[in-house]
Amino acid sequence: MDNGGQVSLEYLLIFSASLIILIAFTLPLLEESMNNTFDVYDTIKTKSDVSKLAQAIKQVYGEGQGSRKTVYLDVDKPVKINVNNGQVSANFKFKNNHNKQIKIDVKSSLKTDSFKLSKGEKIFIVEWPVNSQNMIIYQK
């Protein structure tokens, strides 16, 4: 008559041990997977910001002297954006210490410049003043 209670207790012990073993093996994999997912999100967001800036540069260059474009960026993670005559780029560091460089080619008359962006909203102005040979880009 007492065998029913013993079977239930043994079942609970075996189930608990199995659950602990399952958690011990899957938790590290889950953490690595989440880090990779966050890295992909951060990379896409950084590429989007670099792309917005590159599009503004292309538009101002296409419109010629006297044109101006304002770009609003919402930066989630600190990043350094480099702008030179041939491209807009940013270096991104993953959580596993690997680096990826995001580059977008642009045609412009900009001088080489770089911007260290901290987290938060940023406003950039890309401008080609009238009677000037060079475009300018600055953070407001």
Side-chain angles (χ1 to χ4, degrees):
M1 301 262 180
D2 291 333
N3 287 343
Q6 182 178 355
V7 171
S8 295
L9 181 63
E10 289 173 353
Y11 174 75
L12 285 173
L13 288 175
I14 291 171
F15 180 74
S16 299
S18 300
L19 193 60
I20 290 171
I21 291 171
L22 180 67
I23 289 172
F25 285 111
T26 58
L27 199 58
L29 295 174
L30 178 66
E31 181 182 4
E32 183 179 337
S33 174
M34 287 178 60
N35 284 340
N36 290 341
T37 302
F38 290 136
D39 280 342
V40 168
Y41 170 77
D42 291 339
T43 304
I44 290 171
K45 181 74 170 100
T46 302
K47 186 171 184 177
S48 172
D49 291 342
V50 170
S51 178
K52 287 178 187 177
L53 202 53
Q55 281 302 116
I57 292 169
K58 289 177 184 179
Q59 182 178 350
V60 169
Y61 183 77
E63 292 176 0
Q65 292 182 355
S67 60
R68 178 182 182 166
K69 177 79 176 166
T70 303
V71 180
Y72 299 92
L73 302 179
D74 187 14
V75 180
D76 290 341
K77 191 173 184 179
V79 66
K80 181 179 178 183
I81 295 180
N82 299 311
V83 179
N84 64 30
N85 196 21
Q87 66 185 357
V88 179
S89 64
N91 286 325
F92 184 80
K93 187 173 186 177
F94 294 113
K95 289 180 177 63
N96 63 3
N97 292 328
H98 286 89
N99 290 322
K100 178 178 176 86
Q101 186 174 32
I102 299 168
K103 293 189 268 184
I104 298 178
D105 293 331
V106 295
K107 192 171 184 181
S108 70
S109 63
L110 282 169
K111 294 183 179 180
T112 301
D113 206 349
S114 65
F115 303 95
K116 287 188 178 186
L117 305 180
S118 58
K119 187 176 178 178
E121 292 183 4
K122 307 295 179 213
I123 300 173
F124 281 93
I125 298 176
V126 181
E127 185 175 11
W128 194 347
V130 177
N131 298 328
S132 175
Q133 294 295 332
N134 293 322
M135 295 168 53
I136 56 173
I137 183 170
Y138 55 93
Q139 188 177 352
K140 191 172 181 182

PDB file of all heavy atoms in Angstrom, residues 41-67:
ATOM      1  N   TYR A  41      22.107  42.328 -33.535  1.00  0.00           N
ATOM      2  CA  TYR A  41      21.248  43.512 -33.445  1.00  0.00           C
ATOM      3  C   TYR A  41      22.088  44.792 -33.424  1.00  0.00           C
ATOM      4  O   TYR A  41      21.788  45.746 -34.146  1.00  0.00           O
ATOM      5  CB  TYR A  41      20.367  43.449 -32.196  1.00  0.00           C
ATOM      6  CG  TYR A  41      19.636  44.741 -31.932  1.00  0.00           C
ATOM      7  CD1 TYR A  41      18.507  45.085 -32.678  1.00  0.00           C
ATOM      8  CD2 TYR A  41      20.098  45.645 -30.980  1.00  0.00           C
ATOM      9  CE1 TYR A  41      17.850  46.281 -32.459  1.00  0.00           C
ATOM     10  CE2 TYR A  41      19.448  46.842 -30.760  1.00  0.00           C
ATOM     11  CZ  TYR A  41      18.324  47.158 -31.495  1.00  0.00           C
ATOM     12  OH  TYR A  41      17.692  48.358 -31.288  1.00  0.00           O
ATOM     13  N   ASP A  42      23.127  44.815 -32.595  1.00  0.00           N
ATOM     14  CA  ASP A  42      23.981  46.005 -32.505  1.00  0.00           C
ATOM     15  C   ASP A  42      24.683  46.294 -33.829  1.00  0.00           C
ATOM     16  O   ASP A  42      24.834  47.450 -34.223  1.00  0.00           O
ATOM     17  CB  ASP A  42      25.014  45.836 -31.383  1.00  0.00           C
ATOM     18  CG  ASP A  42      24.383  45.866 -30.003  1.00  0.00           C
ATOM     19  OD1 ASP A  42      23.262  46.395 -29.865  1.00  0.00           O
ATOM     20  OD2 ASP A  42      25.021  45.360 -29.049  1.00  0.00           O
ATOM     21  N   THR A  43      25.116  45.250 -34.522  1.00  0.00           N
ATOM     22  CA  THR A  43      25.762  45.431 -35.823  1.00  0.00           C
ATOM     23  C   THR A  43      24.795  46.017 -36.840  1.00  0.00           C
ATOM     24  O   THR A  43      25.139  46.941 -37.582  1.00  0.00           O
ATOM     25  CB  THR A  43      26.308  44.088 -36.350  1.00  0.00           C
ATOM     26  OG1 THR A  43      27.185  43.532 -35.386  1.00  0.00           O
ATOM     27  CG2 THR A  43      27.046  44.267 -37.657  1.00  0.00           C
ATOM     28  N   ILE A  44      23.585  45.502 -36.877  1.00  0.00           N
ATOM     29  CA  ILE A  44      22.581  46.012 -37.820  1.00  0.00           C
ATOM     30  C   ILE A  44      22.236  47.459 -37.502  1.00  0.00           C
ATOM     31  O   ILE A  44      22.101  48.290 -38.396  1.00  0.00           O
ATOM     32  CB  ILE A  44      21.331  45.113 -37.816  1.00  0.00           C
ATOM     33  CG1 ILE A  44      21.656  43.772 -38.455  1.00  0.00           C
ATOM     34  CG2 ILE A  44      20.173  45.779 -38.539  1.00  0.00           C
ATOM     35  CD1 ILE A  44      20.567  42.737 -38.316  1.00  0.00           C
ATOM     36  N   LYS A  45      22.115  47.781 -36.228  1.00  0.00           N
ATOM     37  CA  LYS A  45      21.806  49.159 -35.821  1.00  0.00           C
ATOM     38  C   LYS A  45      22.941  50.103 -36.202  1.00  0.00           C
ATOM     39  O   LYS A  45      22.704  51.201 -36.717  1.00  0.00           O
ATOM     40  CB  LYS A  45      21.558  49.198 -34.306  1.00  0.00           C
ATOM     41  CG  LYS A  45      21.205  50.550 -33.770  1.00  0.00           C
ATOM     42  CD  LYS A  45      19.789  50.936 -34.149  1.00  0.00           C
ATOM     43  CE  LYS A  45      19.356  52.174 -33.403  1.00  0.00           C
ATOM     44  NZ  LYS A  45      19.440  53.384 -34.151  1.00  0.00           N
ATOM     45  N   THR A  46      24.175  49.685 -35.974  1.00  0.00           N
ATOM     46  CA  THR A  46      25.331  50.508 -36.345  1.00  0.00           C
ATOM     47  C   THR A  46      25.393  50.685 -37.857  1.00  0.00           C
ATOM     48  O   THR A  46      25.645  51.782 -38.350  1.00  0.00           O
ATOM     49  CB  THR A  46      26.639  49.882 -35.823  1.00  0.00           C
ATOM     50  OG1 THR A  46      26.553  49.742 -34.406  1.00  0.00           O
ATOM     51  CG2 THR A  46      27.834  50.736 -36.172  1.00  0.00           C
ATOM     52  N   LYS A  47      25.144  49.607 -38.598  1.00  0.00           N
ATOM     53  CA  LYS A  47      25.150  49.706 -40.057  1.00  0.00           C
ATOM     54  C   LYS A  47      24.048  50.641 -40.541  1.00  0.00           C
ATOM     55  O   LYS A  47      24.243  51.404 -41.494  1.00  0.00           O
ATOM     56  CB  LYS A  47      24.988  48.327 -40.689  1.00  0.00           C
ATOM     57  CG  LYS A  47      25.145  48.358 -42.188  1.00  0.00           C
ATOM     58  CD  LYS A  47      25.196  46.987 -42.794  1.00  0.00           C
ATOM     59  CE  LYS A  47      25.451  47.091 -44.285  1.00  0.00           C
ATOM     60  NZ  LYS A  47      25.590  45.783 -44.903  1.00  0.00           N
ATOM     61  N   SER A  48      22.906  50.619 -39.895  1.00  0.00           N
ATOM     62  CA  SER A  48      21.819  51.522 -40.247  1.00  0.00           C
ATOM     63  C   SER A  48      22.226  52.975 -40.022  1.00  0.00           C
ATOM     64  O   SER A  48      21.950  53.845 -40.862  1.00  0.00           O
ATOM     65  CB  SER A  48      20.578  51.185 -39.426  1.00  0.00           C
ATOM     66  OG  SER A  48      19.577  52.143 -39.618  1.00  0.00           O
ATOM     67  N   ASP A  49      22.874  53.260 -38.894  1.00  0.00           N
ATOM     68  CA  ASP A  49      23.329  54.626 -38.610  1.00  0.00           C
ATOM     69  C   ASP A  49      24.370  55.094 -39.626  1.00  0.00           C
ATOM     70  O   ASP A  49      24.305  56.221 -40.118  1.00  0.00           O
ATOM     71  CB  ASP A  49      23.897  54.716 -37.192  1.00  0.00           C
ATOM     72  CG  ASP A  49      22.831  54.557 -36.117  1.00  0.00           C
ATOM     73  OD1 ASP A  49      21.633  54.726 -36.442  1.00  0.00           O
ATOM     74  OD2 ASP A  49      23.193  54.269 -34.962  1.00  0.00           O
ATOM     75  N   VAL A  50      25.317  54.221 -39.945  1.00  0.00           N
ATOM     76  CA  VAL A  50      26.340  54.565 -40.940  1.00  0.00           C
ATOM     77  C   VAL A  50      25.689  54.782 -42.296  1.00  0.00           C
ATOM     78  O   VAL A  50      26.049  55.701 -43.039  1.00  0.00           O
ATOM     79  CB  VAL A  50      27.428  53.466 -40.995  1.00  0.00           C
ATOM     80  CG1 VAL A  50      28.364  53.664 -42.168  1.00  0.00           C
ATOM     81  CG2 VAL A  50      28.223  53.434 -39.691  1.00  0.00           C
ATOM     82  N   SER A  51      24.703  53.971 -42.625  1.00  0.00           N
ATOM     83  CA  SER A  51      23.995  54.098 -43.895  1.00  0.00           C
ATOM     84  C   SER A  51      23.224  55.417 -43.990  1.00  0.00           C
ATOM     85  O   SER A  51      23.209  56.063 -45.049  1.00  0.00           O
ATOM     86  CB  SER A  51      23.043  52.922 -44.077  1.00  0.00           C
ATOM     87  OG  SER A  51      22.326  53.051 -45.271  1.00  0.00           O
ATOM     88  N   LYS A  52      22.582  55.829 -42.905  1.00  0.00           N
ATOM     89  CA  LYS A  52      21.866  57.111 -42.904  1.00  0.00           C
ATOM     90  C   LYS A  52      22.823  58.271 -43.173  1.00  0.00           C
ATOM     91  O   LYS A  52      22.514  59.182 -43.946  1.00  0.00           O
ATOM     92  CB  LYS A  52      21.170  57.337 -41.555  1.00  0.00           C
ATOM     93  CG  LYS A  52      19.957  56.498 -41.324  1.00  0.00           C
ATOM     94  CD  LYS A  52      19.384  56.770 -39.939  1.00  0.00           C
ATOM     95  CE  LYS A  52      18.267  55.843 -39.594  1.00  0.00           C
ATOM     96  NZ  LYS A  52      17.770  56.068 -38.220  1.00  0.00           N
ATOM     97  N   LEU A  53      23.979  58.217 -42.526  1.00  0.00           N
ATOM     98  CA  LEU A  53      24.973  59.271 -42.723  1.00  0.00           C
ATOM     99  C   LEU A  53      25.515  59.252 -44.153  1.00  0.00           C
ATOM    100  O   LEU A  53      25.653  60.303 -44.783  1.00  0.00           O
ATOM    101  CB  LEU A  53      26.108  59.082 -41.717  1.00  0.00           C
ATOM    102  CG  LEU A  53      26.957  60.277 -41.383  1.00  0.00           C
ATOM    103  CD1 LEU A  53      26.134  61.461 -40.940  1.00  0.00           C
ATOM    104  CD2 LEU A  53      27.955  59.913 -40.296  1.00  0.00           C
ATOM    105  N   ALA A  54      25.767  58.062 -44.685  1.00  0.00           N
ATOM    106  CA  ALA A  54      26.268  57.938 -46.060  1.00  0.00           C
ATOM    107  C   ALA A  54      25.233  58.439 -47.063  1.00  0.00           C
ATOM    108  O   ALA A  54      25.579  59.117 -48.039  1.00  0.00           O
ATOM    109  CB  ALA A  54      26.649  56.494 -46.359  1.00  0.00           C
ATOM    110  N   GLN A  55      23.956  58.125 -46.842  1.00  0.00           N
ATOM    111  CA  GLN A  55      22.901  58.600 -47.744  1.00  0.00           C
ATOM    112  C   GLN A  55      22.820  60.125 -47.745  1.00  0.00           C
ATOM    113  O   GLN A  55      22.604  60.741 -48.788  1.00  0.00           O
ATOM    114  CB  GLN A  55      21.556  57.998 -47.343  1.00  0.00           C
ATOM    115  CG  GLN A  55      21.355  56.583 -47.806  1.00  0.00           C
ATOM    116  CD  GLN A  55      21.468  56.442 -49.301  1.00  0.00           C
ATOM    117  OE1 GLN A  55      22.375  55.755 -49.766  1.00  0.00           O
ATOM    118  NE2 GLN A  55      20.616  57.074 -50.062  1.00  0.00           N
ATOM    119  N   ALA A  56      22.974  60.733 -46.579  1.00  0.00           N
ATOM    120  CA  ALA A  56      22.948  62.196 -46.511  1.00  0.00           C
ATOM    121  C   ALA A  56      24.120  62.791 -47.276  1.00  0.00           C
ATOM    122  O   ALA A  56      23.969  63.787 -47.997  1.00  0.00           O
ATOM    123  CB  ALA A  56      22.983  62.656 -45.050  1.00  0.00           C
ATOM    124  N   ILE A  57      25.292  62.187 -47.157  1.00  0.00           N
ATOM    125  CA  ILE A  57      26.479  62.666 -47.878  1.00  0.00           C
ATOM    126  C   ILE A  57      26.256  62.539 -49.383  1.00  0.00           C
ATOM    127  O   ILE A  57      26.539  63.468 -50.154  1.00  0.00           O
ATOM    128  CB  ILE A  57      27.733  61.895 -47.431  1.00  0.00           C
ATOM    129  CG1 ILE A  57      28.068  62.256 -45.980  1.00  0.00           C
ATOM    130  CG2 ILE A  57      28.911  62.186 -48.339  1.00  0.00           C
ATOM    131  CD1 ILE A  57      29.125  61.375 -45.336  1.00  0.00           C
ATOM    132  N   LYS A  58      25.729  61.402 -49.817  1.00  0.00           N
ATOM    133  CA  LYS A  58      25.456  61.198 -51.245  1.00  0.00           C
ATOM    134  C   LYS A  58      24.431  62.205 -51.758  1.00  0.00           C
ATOM    135  O   LYS A  58      24.571  62.733 -52.868  1.00  0.00           O
ATOM    136  CB  LYS A  58      24.942  59.776 -51.486  1.00  0.00           C
ATOM    137  CG  LYS A  58      25.990  58.710 -51.315  1.00  0.00           C
ATOM    138  CD  LYS A  58      25.360  57.330 -51.494  1.00  0.00           C
ATOM    139  CE  LYS A  58      26.344  56.219 -51.231  1.00  0.00           C
ATOM    140  NZ  LYS A  58      25.734  54.886 -51.382  1.00  0.00           N
ATOM    141  N   GLN A  59      23.404  62.473 -50.976  1.00  0.00           N
ATOM    142  CA  GLN A  59      22.365  63.405 -51.396  1.00  0.00           C
ATOM    143  C   GLN A  59      22.918  64.815 -51.535  1.00  0.00           C
ATOM    144  O   GLN A  59      22.646  65.507 -52.519  1.00  0.00           O
ATOM    145  CB  GLN A  59      21.201  63.397 -50.409  1.00  0.00           C
ATOM    146  CG  GLN A  59      20.067  64.314 -50.817  1.00  0.00           C
ATOM    147  CD  GLN A  59      18.896  64.260 -49.848  1.00  0.00           C
ATOM    148  OE1 GLN A  59      18.833  63.410 -48.970  1.00  0.00           O
ATOM    149  NE2 GLN A  59      17.963  65.185 -50.008  1.00  0.00           N
ATOM    150  N   VAL A  60      23.702  65.265 -50.549  1.00  0.00           N
ATOM    151  CA  VAL A  60      24.267  66.613 -50.607  1.00  0.00           C
ATOM    152  C   VAL A  60      25.245  66.728 -51.774  1.00  0.00           C
ATOM    153  O   VAL A  60      25.255  67.731 -52.491  1.00  0.00           O
ATOM    154  CB  VAL A  60      24.952  66.982 -49.261  1.00  0.00           C
ATOM    155  CG1 VAL A  60      25.763  68.252 -49.386  1.00  0.00           C
ATOM    156  CG2 VAL A  60      23.905  67.121 -48.172  1.00  0.00           C
ATOM    157  N   TYR A  61      26.035  65.692 -51.997  1.00  0.00           N
ATOM    158  CA  TYR A  61      26.967  65.722 -53.124  1.00  0.00           C
ATOM    159  C   TYR A  61      26.207  65.771 -54.449  1.00  0.00           C
ATOM    160  O   TYR A  61      26.578  66.505 -55.370  1.00  0.00           O
ATOM    161  CB  TYR A  61      27.887  64.493 -53.088  1.00  0.00           C
ATOM    162  CG  TYR A  61      28.921  64.500 -54.180  1.00  0.00           C
ATOM    163  CD1 TYR A  61      30.052  65.303 -54.087  1.00  0.00           C
ATOM    164  CD2 TYR A  61      28.772  63.699 -55.308  1.00  0.00           C
ATOM    165  CE1 TYR A  61      31.002  65.313 -55.087  1.00  0.00           C
ATOM    166  CE2 TYR A  61      29.715  63.704 -56.310  1.00  0.00           C
ATOM    167  CZ  TYR A  61      30.826  64.509 -56.201  1.00  0.00           C
ATOM    168  OH  TYR A  61      31.771  64.518 -57.196  1.00  0.00           O
ATOM    169  N   GLY A  62      25.120  65.029 -54.538  1.00  0.00           N
ATOM    170  CA  GLY A  62      24.319  65.010 -55.762  1.00  0.00           C
ATOM    171  C   GLY A  62      23.611  66.328 -56.034  1.00  0.00           C
ATOM    172  O   GLY A  62      23.444  66.727 -57.185  1.00  0.00           O
ATOM    173  N   GLU A  63      23.197  67.012 -54.981  1.00  0.00           N
ATOM    174  CA  GLU A  63      22.495  68.282 -55.153  1.00  0.00           C
ATOM    175  C   GLU A  63      23.441  69.440 -55.406  1.00  0.00           C
ATOM    176  O   GLU A  63      23.020  70.476 -55.920  1.00  0.00           O
ATOM    177  CB  GLU A  63      21.627  68.565 -53.917  1.00  0.00           C
ATOM    178  CG  GLU A  63      20.465  67.607 -53.782  1.00  0.00           C
ATOM    179  CD  GLU A  63      19.663  67.818 -52.499  1.00  0.00           C
ATOM    180  OE1 GLU A  63      20.009  68.720 -51.705  1.00  0.00           O
ATOM    181  OE2 GLU A  63      18.683  67.075 -52.294  1.00  0.00           O
ATOM    182  N   GLY A  64      24.689  69.307 -55.018  1.00  0.00           N
ATOM    183  CA  GLY A  64      25.689  70.337 -55.316  1.00  0.00           C
ATOM    184  C   GLY A  64      25.783  71.429 -54.261  1.00  0.00           C
ATOM    185  O   GLY A  64      25.210  71.338 -53.175  1.00  0.00           O
ATOM    186  N   GLN A  65      26.511  72.469 -54.617  1.00  0.00           N
ATOM    187  CA  GLN A  65      26.760  73.574 -53.688  1.00  0.00           C
ATOM    188  C   GLN A  65      25.454  74.225 -53.249  1.00  0.00           C
ATOM    189  O   GLN A  65      24.523  74.368 -54.029  1.00  0.00           O
ATOM    190  CB  GLN A  65      27.663  74.618 -54.340  1.00  0.00           C
ATOM    191  CG  GLN A  65      29.071  74.130 -54.569  1.00  0.00           C
ATOM    192  CD  GLN A  65      29.957  75.200 -55.182  1.00  0.00           C
ATOM    193  OE1 GLN A  65      29.515  76.281 -55.523  1.00  0.00           O
ATOM    194  NE2 GLN A  65      31.228  74.882 -55.331  1.00  0.00           N
ATOM    195  N   GLY A  66      25.434  74.613 -51.972  1.00  0.00           N
ATOM    196  CA  GLY A  66      24.257  75.249 -51.409  1.00  0.00           C
ATOM    197  C   GLY A  66      23.273  74.277 -50.786  1.00  0.00           C
ATOM    198  O   GLY A  66      22.270  74.690 -50.224  1.00  0.00           O
ATOM    199  N   SER A  67      23.551  73.000 -50.867  1.00  0.00           N
ATOM    200  CA  SER A  67      22.620  72.029 -50.291  1.00  0.00           C
ATOM    201  C   SER A  67      23.031  71.654 -48.867  1.00  0.00           C
ATOM    202  O   SER A  67      24.173  71.809 -48.462  1.00  0.00           O
ATOM    203  CB  SER A  67      22.540  70.778 -51.165  1.00  0.00           C
ATOM    204  OG  SER A  67      23.807  70.178 -51.262  1.00  0.00           O
TER     205      SER A  67
END
